[in-house]
Amino acid sequence: MASTTSDAHAISDESRKTPQPSAVPGIPLNAFGMTFGLMGLAGTWTEASRSLGTSILVGEILWAIATIVWITTVTLYIIRAKSMRRIMADLTHPVLGPFAALIPISGILLGGHLFAMWPIVGTILVWAMFTVSIVFGTWFISQLLTVPKGFTAMHGGYLLPTVAAGLISAQSLATIGAHAAAVAAFGVGLLFWLLIGGALIARLVAGPEIPGGLLPSLAILAAPPAVAGNAWWGSSATFAMRVLTTNTSPWSTIAAWLIVGIATVVIGAIALQSIRLWVKNRSAIHVLTTTEG
């Protein structure tokens, strides 16, 4: 009996030492890419309503879905993080940390869209998220300069806190009439495109090879020119559509529709795959927790 009690205490002590799987998994920062992609697609369909004569309802439905996903993801992330220590661990993560920039960037996009319907709401949201973006971008750069990580950790996502944030902020700031701030944000985005973009190219040339899971992040390298063009003129698909529809040729219209279709299929497929993986992950954790229970 004494031996059994001792064994029970030993098992109890061991279980306290070993981290137990949580039935409510945390949300990785790169999950906010789904919101960013949906808002980009919504912007493309909004532009299609102006350039191609499509129903504005499609774009507005996509904006509504993207907004719900954004608010839900942010709320769940905060609830499941449970502590500032966990959040700081995510922000300082060499791979996932830069994706935190997508939270304010998505809000900046949303604010620019809302400005047409509710100017006060849109203006407040743009300035609030722009401020958050500045704070995070400044902190991110300070971390790069004071906490050496080497080239190994770098990937396309490192362009998000400064380049994407600056150029997209320029677009929304111009929309709400803050032209001086828009030009400043545009300049910051271009500056860090050269600096961080150059470092990324050097990392790709010098190696080591980027892990397979991070290869899709290289697509971000192609985004700055289109985002900059859209900011100055006004997602890559939106900019391309604007360029094409300045030409009255039937082929230009066909090409514009092709871009809208490809963007919709690609982003839709990514969203569905993300949902599938999320459901699979939750199911696996539930089975593991039930089995151990």
Side-chain angles (χ1 to χ4, degrees), residues 115-156:
F115 181 78
M117 296 173 285
W118 300 297
I120 295 177
V121 174
T123 300
I124 292 174
L125 185 57
V126 169
W127 279 114
M129 292 296 101
F130 180 53
T131 301
V132 173
S133 181
I134 290 175
V135 172
F136 178 70
T138 302
W139 175 83
F140 178 77
I141 292 299
S142 72
Q143 289 291 299
L144 284 182
L145 297 177
T146 59
V147 185
K149 297 180 176 66
F151 277 163
T152 303
M154 293 191 72
H155 54 81

Side-chain angles (χ1 to χ4, degrees), residues 36 64 106 164:
F36 184 58
S106 298

Side-chain angles (χ1 to χ4, degrees), residues 144-203:
L144 284 182
L145 297 177
T146 59
V147 185
K149 297 180 176 66
F151 277 163
T152 303
M154 293 191 72
H155 54 81
Y158 274 59
L159 293 171
L160 294 173
T162 53
V163 183
L167 297 177
I168 291 175
S169 293
Q171 176 183 331
S172 291
L173 287 167
T175 299
I176 66 173
H179 298 292
V183 172
F186 187 82
V188 169
L190 289 184
L191 173 63
F192 283 101
W193 178 28
L194 297 175
L195 295 177
I196 297 181
L200 280 172
I201 295 298
R203 182 257 186 272

